[in-house]
Amino acid sequence: MKSYDQIFLANRAWAQSLKSADKEYFQKMALGQTPKYFWIGCADSRVSETVVTKSQLGELFVHRNVANLVNENDTNLLASLRYAIDYLKVKHIVVAGHYSCGGVKAAYDGLEDPYITDWVSDIKSTLNANGKEIEAIEGDMNRIDRLAELSIMKQVDKLASMDLIKDAWARGQRLFIHGWIFDLSTGELNSLKEIHPDDMIQ
Ligand SMILES: [Zn+2]
């Protein structure tokens, strides 16, 4: 047996257990999706959004990348965002980061890697812009965790300044933007920032 056969065995057991509770579960699932959330999360293996929010299939529309960054030139993110807002009509966009993030650490450490350095450069500028606050914190781990928080809040602001989202608000679409952080050491998800549509819809 190959090591990855376990993946397929687990999949069949999972599908079977859902079918025994509701034999049309997957036929119904195949008809379409109406998620209320668009989740922008980190690629880290320990922060699966469906697991940590105890969600079911169909509840979260997801985009993940290293360090949950909103890059205005990222066509992958833009296509997902467009589909979430204008086709799925999600109500909430969540930037969800986490403590002990390897991407944030790479920016903090000044890691030089041709495939990573450029991607995390936005976190590097967040670090430079908040140098005094970060330096006043004791210990690299705590500094990296505060930098993760600051970066999440910055991504929320970036979303709020994007035409895709401003246009939705201008049409009266009630779209919330959230910045959340997951604590790997406690399993808890907490809110850092929220932009309420009533403040943005004129
Ligand atoms: Zn991460």
Side-chain angles (χ1 to χ4, degrees):
M1 184 163 138
K2 297 182 284 291
S3 61
Y4 50 81
D5 283 345
Q6 180 52 35
I7 296 273
F8 293 94
L9 287 173
N11 164 258
R12 295 299 186 275
W14 166 81
Q16 199 50 53
S17 73
L18 283 167
K19 282 185 278 194
S20 40
D22 174 0
K23 65 180 193 321
E24 286 170 13
Y25 180 86
F26 290 104
Q27 281 102 312
K28 286 187 270 183
M29 192 60 66
L31 295 176
Q33 57 172 334
T34 52
K36 290 190 174 60
Y37 294 86
F38 177 43
W39 181 283
I40 301 169
C42 183
D44 193 296
S45 64
R46 302 163 294 175
V47 298
S48 166
E49 65 296 317
T50 306
V51 174
V52 309
T53 64
K54 234 180 160 208
S55 294
Q56 302 300 316
L57 297 184
E59 293 183 342
L60 304 172
F61 189 67
V62 176
H63 172 91
R64 286 170 68 176
N65 62 46
V66 169
N68 42 271
L69 292 171
V70 172
N71 179 337
E72 295 94 331
N73 301 316
D74 178 356
T75 55
N76 183 352
L77 171 69
L78 292 175
S80 309
L81 191 59
R82 169 74 161 177
Y83 195 72
I85 296 171
D86 294 283
Y87 294 81
L88 296 173
K89 313 269 188 217
V90 298
K91 295 207 160 35
H92 303 273
I93 299 177
V94 178
V95 178
H98 63 103
Y99 297 122
S100 311
C101 180
V104 176
K105 185 176 188 301
Y108 177 82
D109 289 343
L111 175 74
E112 290 198 25
D113 181 296
Y115 294 93
I116 298 172
T117 304
D118 185 52
W119 178 255
V120 299
S121 62
D122 184 66
I123 307 174
K124 189 84 182 168
S125 40
T126 304
L127 174 62
N128 294 336
N130 297 275
K132 276 215 173 83
E133 182 192 335
I134 302 277
E135 273 171 38
I137 297 168
E138 197 68 45
D140 285 338
M141 289 287 281
N142 294 330
R143 289 177 177 186
I144 290 165
D145 286 348
R146 179 57 183 158
L147 183 55
E149 294 179 348
L150 292 168
S151 177
I152 290 167
M153 292 187 276
K154 182 176 172 188
Q155 310 314 306
V156 167
D157 289 336
K158 279 207 254 176
L159 283 168
S161 72
M162 289 169 73
D163 287 342
L164 266 173
I165 291 182
K166 287 198 290 188
D167 290 349
W169 280 328
R171 291 192 303 268
Q173 197 167 336
R174 290 181 53 73
L175 196 58
F176 291 74
I177 310 179
H178 307 267
W180 294 350
I181 193 153
F182 179 65
D183 188 336
L184 286 161
S185 68
T186 64
E188 290 178 3
L189 188 63
N190 291 300
S191 174
L192 297 170
K193 187 178 176 93
E194 178 178 316
I195 296 180
H196 198 283
D198 291 344
D199 300 333
M200 311 308 282
I201 295 170
Q202 303 303 318

